[in-house]
Amino acid sequence: NDEIRNFTRDPFGYLKTEYSKMFPNVSILNLHAVDNLVSAFICQNAPGAKRACAASRKKGQNNDTADESRNPSIPLHYDYIALAAHNNKLVRSTIKRRVLV
């Protein structure tokens, strides 16, 4: 099958071609080939954002600013909350998952 051969030969090119049929301006960013994900995303996908690209690259080079971009969130244990709500009959269990999605 030609589709399988095309996918096997160039999986990223194949996926870009297929998704381009549904969405305009598709680009693929290889997360394994970059050191700074934010900088790579801005510099490769926003060609008019030259100052933002330069600033993100500069910030990525400064190790002292690395802590500023860390996510300070804490785990909220949504699974415990959902299970407790279900056990206390606060959630209707007659709804099928496919209806929720």
XYZ file of all heavy atoms in Angstrom:
800
model
N 0.841 -1.179 0.000
C 0.000 0.000 0.000
C 0.889 1.246 0.000
O 1.819 1.375 0.787
C -0.908 -0.051 1.220
C -1.913 1.050 1.285
O -1.684 2.159 0.835
N -3.048 0.758 1.870
N 0.583 2.192 -0.873
C 1.387 3.423 -0.981
C 1.355 4.261 0.288
O 2.353 4.870 0.664
C 0.907 4.273 -2.158
C 1.383 3.716 -3.489
O 2.341 2.919 -3.490
O 0.780 4.075 -4.512
N 0.195 4.294 0.964
C 0.104 5.093 2.197
C 1.050 4.568 3.264
O 1.712 5.343 3.948
C -1.333 5.090 2.731
C -2.173 6.192 2.156
C -3.488 6.337 2.899
O -3.494 6.349 4.138
O -4.504 6.446 2.212
N 1.117 3.271 3.414
C 2.005 2.669 4.423
C 3.462 2.940 4.065
O 4.268 3.284 4.917
C 1.729 1.161 4.560
C 0.340 0.956 5.159
C 2.793 0.495 5.429
C -0.130 -0.470 5.180
N 3.802 2.819 2.785
C 5.172 3.107 2.340
C 5.537 4.565 2.607
O 6.616 4.867 3.102
C 5.321 2.784 0.854
C 5.938 1.427 0.582
C 6.345 1.305 -0.872
N 5.215 1.500 -1.780
C 4.410 0.529 -2.197
N 4.608 -0.707 -1.804
N 3.410 0.790 -3.004
N 4.619 5.474 2.291
C 4.879 6.903 2.526
C 5.055 7.193 4.010
O 5.919 7.968 4.405
C 3.759 7.761 1.956
C 3.753 7.762 0.447
O 4.756 7.460 -0.188
N 2.609 8.082 -0.128
N 4.209 6.578 4.842
C 4.307 6.793 6.285
C 5.621 6.242 6.819
O 6.303 6.886 7.618
C 3.132 6.155 7.024
C 3.216 6.330 8.510
C 2.898 7.541 9.092
C 3.644 5.298 9.324
C 2.990 7.729 10.461
C 3.729 5.472 10.695
C 3.416 6.686 11.257
N 5.989 5.045 6.377
C 7.218 4.412 6.853
C 8.453 5.198 6.419
O 9.382 5.382 7.180
C 7.306 2.968 6.313
O 6.121 2.275 6.694
C 8.500 2.242 6.881
N 8.432 5.715 5.193
C 9.579 6.452 4.668
C 9.737 7.814 5.349
O 10.840 8.226 5.678
C 9.418 6.627 3.156
C 10.640 7.241 2.499
C 10.452 7.445 1.012
N 9.328 8.359 0.818
C 8.361 8.181 -0.086
N 8.374 7.152 -0.876
N 7.373 9.044 -0.188
N 8.645 8.528 5.545
C 8.697 9.888 6.109
C 7.444 10.124 6.956
O 6.496 10.760 6.504
C 8.784 10.907 4.975
C 8.868 12.342 5.476
O 9.136 12.547 6.675
O 8.657 13.259 4.665
N 7.427 9.609 8.207
C 6.206 9.722 9.016
C 5.768 11.162 9.275
O 4.589 11.469 9.224
C 6.548 9.002 10.322
C 8.016 8.851 10.327
C 8.487 8.929 8.911
N 6.719 12.088 9.509
C 6.340 13.468 9.786
C 5.767 14.146 8.542
O 4.794 14.884 8.611
C 7.517 14.267 10.337
C 7.988 13.780 11.673
C 9.245 13.243 11.823
C 7.155 13.846 12.772
C 9.674 12.781 13.057
C 7.567 13.380 14.007
C 8.832 12.850 14.146
N 6.391 13.892 7.403
C 5.883 14.443 6.156
C 4.500 13.909 5.824
O 3.612 14.642 5.384
N 4.309 12.621 6.068
C 3.005 12.004 5.813
C 1.928 12.638 6.701
O 0.863 13.019 6.230
C 3.076 10.497 6.062
C 1.736 9.820 5.958
C 1.200 9.502 4.713
C 0.993 9.526 7.097
C -0.042 8.893 4.614
C -0.240 8.923 7.002
C -0.750 8.607 5.758
O -1.983 8.015 5.663
N 2.220 12.762 7.998
C 1.245 13.341 8.928
C 0.962 14.800 8.587
O -0.188 15.244 8.657
C 1.739 13.216 10.367
C 1.785 11.788 10.907
C 2.467 11.764 12.265
C 0.394 11.203 10.985
N 1.995 15.535 8.198
C 1.783 16.937 7.821
C 0.861 17.021 6.607
O -0.059 17.843 6.572
C 3.114 17.617 7.521
C 2.943 19.073 7.165
C 4.258 19.777 6.976
C 3.982 21.238 6.641
N 5.164 22.032 6.553
N 1.078 16.162 5.627
C 0.233 16.151 4.433
C -1.213 15.826 4.787
O -2.144 16.491 4.322
C 0.762 15.121 3.406
O 2.087 15.486 3.054
C -0.107 15.073 2.173
N -1.399 14.822 5.625
C -2.760 14.409 5.988
C -3.482 15.484 6.804
O -4.633 15.799 6.542
C -2.734 13.083 6.762
C -2.347 11.890 5.907
C -3.289 11.695 4.731
O -4.512 11.616 4.940
O -2.788 11.622 3.591
N -2.794 16.065 7.797
C -3.433 17.091 8.624
C -3.643 18.395 7.853
O -4.556 19.151 8.144
C -2.649 17.344 9.911
C -2.941 16.308 10.967
C -2.034 15.303 11.266
C -4.143 16.323 11.654
C -2.317 14.343 12.226
C -4.427 15.376 12.614
C -3.511 14.389 12.898
O -3.804 13.449 13.844
N -2.798 18.645 6.864
C -2.954 19.850 6.047
C -4.233 19.824 5.225
O -4.720 20.870 4.804
C -1.746 20.019 5.121
O -0.601 20.321 5.878
N -4.767 18.650 5.020
C -6.038 18.535 4.293
C -7.192 19.099 5.125
O -8.205 19.517 4.583
C -6.326 17.077 3.947
C -5.352 16.486 2.954
C -5.614 15.001 2.763
C -4.571 14.366 1.859
N -4.756 12.906 1.758
N -7.028 19.102 6.456
C -8.098 19.548 7.353
C -7.821 20.891 8.009
O -8.740 21.602 8.381
C -8.316 18.499 8.443
C -8.771 17.157 7.911
S -8.875 15.911 9.201
C -7.166 15.443 9.377
N -6.524 21.222 8.195
C -6.148 22.429 8.910
C -5.127 23.219 8.101
O -4.192 22.642 7.556
C -5.538 22.088 10.273
C -6.415 21.247 11.136
C -6.182 19.881 11.266
C -7.488 21.793 11.814
C -6.988 19.093 12.059
C -8.294 21.012 12.608
C -8.051 19.664 12.732
N -5.261 24.541 8.048
C -4.271 25.335 7.313
C -2.989 25.513 8.130
O -3.003 25.444 9.357
C -4.973 26.678 7.125
C -5.914 26.766 8.276
C -6.348 25.347 8.576
N -1.885 25.721 7.455
C -0.606 26.068 8.102
C -0.140 25.060 9.144
O 0.198 25.423 10.263
C -0.679 27.456 8.734
C -1.048 28.515 7.738
O -0.632 28.449 6.587
N -1.846 29.471 8.148
N -0.130 23.790 8.790
C 0.335 22.757 9.719
C 1.851 22.741 9.725
O 2.501 22.796 8.681
C -0.191 21.365 9.292
C 0.421 20.267 10.132
C -1.702 21.324 9.384
N 2.422 22.708 10.915
C 3.869 22.529 11.032
C 4.121 21.514 12.134
O 3.309 21.342 13.036
C 4.572 23.850 11.337
O 4.179 24.340 12.585
N 5.248 20.843 12.054
C 5.592 19.809 13.030
C 6.860 20.232 13.740
O 7.853 20.605 13.104
C 5.773 18.446 12.337
C 4.435 18.007 11.742
C 6.305 17.413 13.311
C 4.479 16.734 10.955
N 6.839 20.166 15.047
C 7.994 20.521 15.867
C 8.494 19.254 16.546
O 7.773 18.642 17.337
C 7.587 21.567 16.910
C 8.648 22.000 17.904
C 9.833 22.638 17.190
C 8.060 22.974 18.905
N 9.685 18.834 16.230
C 10.277 17.639 16.825
C 10.779 17.993 18.217
O 11.794 18.669 18.379
C 11.415 17.121 15.939
C 11.998 15.834 16.460
O 11.689 15.388 17.563
N 12.842 15.218 15.661
N 10.086 17.537 19.228
C 10.420 17.878 20.610
C 11.749 17.292 21.055
O 12.359 17.776 21.997
C 9.314 17.388 21.551
C 7.922 17.931 21.286
C 6.931 17.335 22.273
C 7.901 19.435 21.373
N 12.202 16.254 20.379
C 13.449 15.604 20.768
C 14.671 16.284 20.162
O 15.791 15.971 20.529
C 13.419 14.130 20.357
C 12.284 13.389 20.971
N 12.246 13.056 22.305
C 11.122 12.950 20.447
C 11.123 12.427 22.572
N 10.413 12.349 21.467
N 14.460 17.200 19.244
C 15.575 17.831 18.551
C 15.858 19.248 19.034
O 16.662 19.947 18.431
C 15.296 17.850 17.047
N 15.208 19.670 20.109
C 15.403 21.038 20.585
C 15.817 21.041 22.052
O 15.459 20.153 22.812
C 14.123 21.891 20.410
C 13.763 22.019 18.950
C 12.964 21.324 21.197
N 16.583 22.055 22.421
C 16.978 22.224 23.826
C 15.954 23.046 24.592
O 15.695 22.805 25.750
C 18.341 22.905 23.921
C 19.456 22.021 23.401
O 19.335 20.792 23.501
O 20.448 22.564 22.889
N 15.401 24.056 23.919
C 14.465 24.961 24.563
C 13.157 24.922 23.768
O 13.063 25.498 22.690
C 15.063 26.374 24.584
C 14.169 27.362 25.290
O 12.957 27.220 25.323
N 14.772 28.388 25.858
N 12.167 24.238 24.314
C 10.907 24.025 23.600
C 10.199 25.334 23.287
O 9.736 25.544 22.169
C 9.988 23.115 24.422
C 8.611 22.859 23.851
C 8.709 22.164 22.507
C 7.786 22.045 24.810
N 10.121 26.240 24.247
C 9.425 27.515 24.037
C 10.111 28.312 22.937
O 9.471 28.813 22.019
C 9.351 28.324 25.346
C 8.788 29.709 25.093
C 8.521 27.584 26.384
N 11.412 28.394 23.005
C 12.160 29.132 22.004
C 11.984 28.510 20.618
O 11.760 29.212 19.628
C 13.641 29.159 22.379
O 14.372 29.867 21.418
N 12.078 27.193 20.527
C 11.918 26.520 19.233
C 10.525 26.767 18.673
O 10.368 27.032 17.479
C 12.172 25.026 19.384
N 9.518 26.720 19.529
C 8.144 26.931 19.066
C 7.969 28.350 18.530
O 7.455 28.551 17.434
C 7.156 26.674 20.199
C 5.734 26.876 19.775
C 5.061 25.900 19.067
C 5.071 28.052 20.065
C 3.749 26.084 18.656
C 3.754 28.256 19.658
C 3.098 27.266 18.953
N 8.424 29.337 19.287
C 8.269 30.732 18.860
C 9.065 30.996 17.585
O 8.543 31.555 16.618
C 8.709 31.707 19.973
C 7.747 31.630 21.156
C 8.787 33.136 19.450
C 8.217 32.375 22.385
N 10.311 30.568 17.572
C 11.195 30.898 16.442
C 10.794 30.177 15.153
O 10.950 30.730 14.069
C 12.637 30.576 16.799
S 13.259 31.559 18.196
N 10.272 28.952 15.258
C 9.921 28.199 14.058
C 8.487 28.433 13.587
O 8.194 28.260 12.411
C 10.126 26.705 14.300
C 11.579 26.331 14.472
C 11.757 24.859 14.761
O 10.919 24.041 14.417
N 12.857 24.527 15.411
N 7.602 28.806 14.487
C 6.191 28.888 14.117
C 5.624 30.301 14.093
O 4.472 30.488 13.730
C 5.356 28.016 15.058
C 5.677 26.561 14.867
O 5.442 26.016 13.800
N 6.237 25.938 15.881
N 6.411 31.270 14.489
C 5.951 32.657 14.444
C 7.023 33.490 13.752
O 7.794 34.202 14.401
C 5.679 33.168 15.855
N 7.116 33.388 12.424
C 8.214 34.042 11.707
C 8.274 35.548 11.888
O 9.337 36.135 11.768
C 7.962 33.670 10.245
C 6.573 33.174 10.173
C 6.186 32.712 11.539
N 7.178 36.214 12.212
C 7.186 37.662 12.403
C 7.574 38.083 13.804
O 7.696 39.265 14.094
N 7.798 37.124 14.695
C 8.069 37.434 16.100
C 9.571 37.395 16.384
O 10.042 36.648 17.226
C 7.316 36.452 16.990
N 10.313 38.226 15.684
C 11.774 38.206 15.808
C 12.257 38.596 17.206
O 13.173 37.991 17.753
C 12.389 39.111 14.747
C 12.226 38.559 13.355
C 12.906 39.456 12.336
C 12.998 38.826 10.997
N 12.032 38.710 10.101
N 11.629 39.606 17.794
C 12.055 40.033 19.142
C 11.688 38.989 20.194
O 12.465 38.729 21.103
C 11.449 41.387 19.491
C 12.042 42.511 18.661
C 11.662 43.884 19.114
N 10.291 43.981 19.609
C 9.745 45.064 20.108
N 10.444 46.163 20.180
N 8.509 45.071 20.515
N 10.514 38.382 20.051
C 10.112 37.330 20.993
C 11.039 36.131 20.869
O 11.414 35.512 21.868
C 8.667 36.919 20.748
N 11.416 35.800 19.636
C 12.343 34.691 19.402
C 13.689 34.977 20.076
O 14.222 34.135 20.797
C 12.517 34.459 17.901
S 13.747 33.216 17.479
N 14.220 36.166 19.835
C 15.514 36.535 20.424
C 15.447 36.536 21.950
O 16.357 36.049 22.623
C 15.952 37.906 19.914
N 14.352 37.058 22.499
C 14.210 37.106 23.959
C 14.105 35.702 24.552
O 14.691 35.422 25.596
C 12.974 37.926 24.330
N 13.378 34.815 23.876
C 13.232 33.457 24.408
C 14.555 32.706 24.337
O 14.871 31.920 25.220
C 12.136 32.693 23.660
O 12.525 32.430 22.326
N 15.319 32.958 23.295
C 16.643 32.315 23.201
C 17.580 32.842 24.278
O 18.328 32.089 24.890
C 17.247 32.551 21.824
C 16.608 31.686 20.769
C 17.317 31.819 19.447
N 16.757 30.856 18.519
C 16.782 30.989 17.217
N 17.359 32.046 16.666
N 16.261 30.070 16.440
N 17.534 34.150 24.516
C 18.388 34.757 25.547
C 18.016 34.218 26.919
O 18.868 33.861 27.712
C 18.250 36.274 25.512
C 19.147 36.991 26.481
C 19.002 38.496 26.352
C 19.892 39.196 27.359
N 19.739 40.645 27.302
N 16.708 34.135 27.198
C 16.262 33.629 28.496
C 16.650 32.166 28.658
O 17.032 31.735 29.735
C 14.749 33.792 28.640
C 14.242 33.376 29.991
C 12.788 33.703 30.179
C 12.370 33.278 31.573
N 11.011 33.621 31.872
N 16.586 31.412 27.583
C 16.953 29.998 27.637
C 18.422 29.782 27.930
O 18.806 28.755 28.466
N 19.277 30.760 27.592
C 20.710 30.641 27.845
C 21.071 30.976 29.274
O 22.090 30.537 29.780
C 21.484 31.563 26.903
C 21.399 31.119 25.462
C 22.011 32.142 24.517
O 22.299 33.267 24.905
N 22.189 31.750 23.276
N 20.227 31.745 29.943
C 20.504 32.144 31.332
C 19.935 31.109 32.285
O 18.732 30.999 32.443
C 19.886 33.509 31.637
C 20.463 34.601 30.778
O 21.570 34.479 30.284
N 19.705 35.658 30.590
N 20.796 30.366 32.941
C 20.329 29.332 33.874
C 19.649 29.927 35.092
O 18.827 29.285 35.729
C 21.501 28.455 34.320
C 21.991 27.582 33.190
O 21.229 27.253 32.281
N 23.254 27.213 33.235
N 20.003 31.160 35.448
C 19.423 31.774 36.639
C 17.946 32.111 36.466
O 17.240 32.307 37.443
C 20.203 33.030 37.040
C 20.246 34.069 35.928
O 20.165 33.688 34.744
O 20.369 35.263 36.265
N 17.450 32.157 35.229
C 16.031 32.469 35.014
C 15.195 31.213 34.830
O 14.005 31.298 34.626
C 15.851 33.374 33.784
O 16.390 32.705 32.651
C 16.507 34.719 33.982
N 15.823 30.045 34.896
C 15.086 28.802 34.652
C 13.972 28.586 35.672
O 12.911 28.071 35.337
C 16.043 27.617 34.667
N 14.202 28.991 36.931
C 13.184 28.792 37.966
C 11.936 29.628 37.742
O 10.859 29.272 38.180
C 13.756 29.101 39.352
C 14.718 28.027 39.820
O 14.663 26.912 39.265
O 15.517 28.309 40.722
N 12.065 30.756 37.038
C 10.914 31.627 36.810
C 9.837 30.955 35.963
O 8.665 31.261 36.086
C 11.367 32.909 36.094
C 12.229 33.801 36.928
C 12.708 34.998 36.124
O 12.129 35.276 35.060
O 13.664 35.641 36.554
N 10.233 30.036 35.092
C 9.267 29.445 34.177
C 8.715 28.113 34.665
O 7.927 27.490 33.983
C 9.907 29.267 32.796
O 10.996 28.384 32.897
N 9.130 27.659 35.819
C 8.612 26.396 36.339
C 7.160 26.557 36.756
O 6.735 27.601 37.228
C 9.436 25.930 37.534
C 10.778 25.438 37.112
C 11.410 24.646 38.211
N 12.702 24.181 37.743
C 13.726 23.965 38.534
N 13.616 24.162 39.822
N 14.857 23.553 38.041
N 6.411 25.485 36.595
C 5.001 25.496 36.958
C 4.881 25.337 38.472
O 5.252 24.308 39.014
C 4.294 24.351 36.232
C 2.808 24.379 36.462
O 2.312 25.130 37.290
N 2.093 23.558 35.743
N 4.342 26.337 39.156
C 4.263 26.272 40.618
C 3.028 25.525 41.116
O 2.712 25.576 42.291
C 4.178 27.750 41.012
C 3.423 28.366 39.880
C 3.885 27.615 38.653
N 2.310 24.835 40.236
C 1.060 24.193 40.636
C 1.311 23.034 41.601
O 2.412 22.495 41.691
C 0.296 23.693 39.409
O 1.029 22.667 38.776
N 0.267 22.674 42.307
C 0.328 21.552 43.239
C -0.708 20.520 42.816
O -1.695 20.860 42.175
C 0.041 22.015 44.688
C -1.339 22.686 44.762
C 1.126 22.947 45.190
C -1.795 22.978 46.161
N -0.500 19.241 43.148
C -1.493 18.228 42.765
C -2.803 18.461 43.523
O -2.798 18.754 44.717
C -0.837 16.910 43.171
C 0.229 17.270 44.143
C 0.641 18.685 43.844
N -3.905 18.353 42.822
C -5.211 18.581 43.445
C -6.007 17.292 43.627
O -7.105 17.313 44.146
C -6.014 19.585 42.603
C -5.382 20.960 42.497
C -6.193 21.844 41.566
C -5.264 21.611 43.865
N -5.451 16.198 43.182
C -6.055 14.882 43.369
C -7.509 14.827 42.892
O -8.416 14.457 43.625
C -5.950 14.445 44.832
C -4.547 14.445 45.343
N -3.582 13.584 44.857
C -3.924 15.218 46.260
C -2.430 13.817 45.469
N -2.605 14.815 46.315
N -7.701 15.220 41.643
C -9.045 15.204 41.068
C -9.653 13.811 41.076
O -10.861 13.670 41.201
C -9.021 15.750 39.639
C -8.715 17.214 39.559
C -7.600 17.671 38.877
C -9.544 18.147 40.179
C -7.326 19.024 38.799
C -9.267 19.501 40.099
C -8.163 19.933 39.415
O -7.886 21.276 39.345
N -8.803 12.782 40.946
C -9.341 11.424 40.959
C -9.978 11.093 42.310
O -11.028 10.457 42.371
C -8.268 10.398 40.596
C -7.022 10.515 41.472
O -6.768 11.616 42.020
O -6.305 9.506 41.590
N -9.391 11.559 43.407
C -9.972 11.335 44.731
C -11.308 12.067 44.874
O -12.262 11.550 45.441
C -9.026 11.807 45.845
C -7.726 11.054 45.960
C -6.647 11.618 46.596
C -7.572 9.767 45.446
C -5.444 10.942 46.719
C -6.369 9.085 45.565
C -5.322 9.680 46.205
O -4.137 9.001 46.334
N -11.338 13.289 44.367
C -12.558 14.093 44.453
C -13.676 13.426 43.657
O -14.811 13.294 44.136
C -12.302 15.531 43.944
C -11.292 16.235 44.856
C -13.609 16.315 43.851
C -10.769 17.539 44.306
N -13.357 12.971 42.441
C -14.362 12.317 41.599
C -14.854 11.028 42.237
O -16.065 10.740 42.241
C -13.785 12.032 40.219
N -13.947 10.231 42.790
C -14.337 8.976 43.430
C -15.199 9.234 44.665
O -16.214 8.557 44.873
C -13.092 8.172 43.810
C -13.338 6.773 44.346
C -14.131 5.942 43.338
C -12.026 6.097 44.675
N -14.846 10.212 45.477
C -15.645 10.546 46.653
C -17.035 11.035 46.248
O -18.041 10.655 46.861
C -14.939 11.606 47.493
N -17.118 11.838 45.194
C -18.413 12.315 44.707
C -19.256 11.147 44.233
O -20.454 11.067 44.516
C -18.216 13.325 43.577
N -18.645 10.205 43.529
C -19.380 9.028 43.048
C -19.854 8.179 44.225
O -21.007 7.745 44.271
C -18.495 8.192 42.118
C -19.184 6.986 41.594
N -19.138 5.762 42.235
C -19.966 6.820 40.503
C -19.847 4.892 41.551
N -20.363 5.508 40.495
N -18.977 7.941 45.188
C -19.339 7.114 46.351
C -20.446 7.737 47.185
O -21.215 7.032 47.834
C -18.103 6.857 47.221
C -17.127 5.911 46.562
O -17.476 5.179 45.623
N -15.892 5.931 47.020
N -20.532 9.061 47.185
C -21.571 9.754 47.945
C -22.797 10.061 47.089
O -23.624 10.882 47.460
C -21.005 11.045 48.553
C -20.057 10.752 49.692
O -20.472 10.171 50.693
N -18.800 11.112 49.539
N -22.869 9.410 45.937
C -24.013 9.524 45.015
C -24.270 10.979 44.580
O -25.400 11.392 44.412
C -25.270 8.928 45.640
C -25.089 7.523 46.203
C -25.858 6.530 45.410
C -25.818 5.148 46.036
N -24.644 4.390 45.813
N -23.193 11.734 44.412
C -23.305 13.107 43.948
C -23.177 13.193 42.425
O -23.389 14.245 41.850
C -22.229 13.980 44.606
C -22.313 14.070 46.133
C -21.106 14.813 46.682
C -23.610 14.750 46.549
N -22.808 12.080 41.807
C -22.626 12.028 40.362
C -23.549 10.958 39.804
O -23.617 9.852 40.330
C -21.165 11.672 40.012
C -20.964 11.573 38.504
C -20.214 12.684 40.618
N -24.268 11.317 38.738
C -25.135 10.323 38.101
C -24.275 9.299 37.386
O -23.453 9.643 36.545
C -26.057 10.981 37.079
C -27.125 11.809 37.693
C -28.136 12.323 36.708
N -27.820 12.067 35.301
C -28.276 12.776 34.295
N -29.067 13.784 34.521
N -27.960 12.485 33.064
N -24.437 8.043 37.708
C -23.626 7.007 37.085
C -24.318 6.396 35.870
O -23.803 5.466 35.276
C -23.281 5.912 38.096
O -24.472 5.343 38.605
N -25.482 6.933 35.497
C -26.183 6.388 34.336
C -25.686 6.998 33.030
O -25.997 6.491 31.966
C -27.700 6.642 34.453
O -27.916 8.051 34.581
C -28.282 5.925 35.651
N -24.919 8.057 33.098
C -24.391 8.695 31.900
C -23.243 7.845 31.358
O -22.321 7.491 32.089
C -23.896 10.122 32.182
C -25.036 10.992 32.687
C -23.255 10.735 30.952
C -24.605 12.374 33.121
N -23.291 7.514 30.096
C -22.239 6.739 29.470
C -21.076 7.653 29.089
O -21.257 8.821 28.789
C -22.754 6.035 28.209
C -23.945 5.130 28.479
C -23.524 3.961 29.310
C -24.702 3.027 29.544
N -24.655 2.327 30.779
N -19.877 7.119 29.101
C -18.685 7.918 28.815
C -18.756 8.576 27.446
O -18.360 9.716 27.286
C -17.431 7.055 28.913
C -16.192 7.841 28.558
C -14.983 7.291 29.222
N -13.796 8.012 28.864
C -13.415 9.167 29.382
N -14.135 9.725 30.309
N -12.309 9.764 28.998
N -19.257 7.879 26.436
C -19.298 8.456 25.092
C -20.168 9.709 25.040
O -19.963 10.580 24.211
C -19.738 7.441 24.058
C -21.090 6.865 24.265
C -21.387 5.807 23.202
N -22.264 4.780 23.664
C -23.563 4.929 23.857
N -24.139 6.076 23.633
N -24.307 3.935 24.284
N -21.109 9.842 25.969
C -21.944 11.046 26.029
C -21.126 12.219 26.592
O -21.310 13.354 26.190
C -23.190 10.798 26.912
C -24.003 12.068 27.078
C -24.044 9.692 26.312
N -20.205 11.920 27.473
C -19.422 12.950 28.127
C -18.314 13.501 27.226
O -17.893 14.626 27.374
C -18.773 12.398 29.394
C -19.757 11.941 30.483
C -18.981 11.317 31.625
C -20.590 13.105 30.972
N -17.852 12.695 26.298
C -16.715 13.100 25.467
C -17.139 14.028 24.369
O -18.179 14.097 23.891
C -16.023 11.859 24.872
C -14.903 12.278 23.952
C -15.490 11.004 25.982
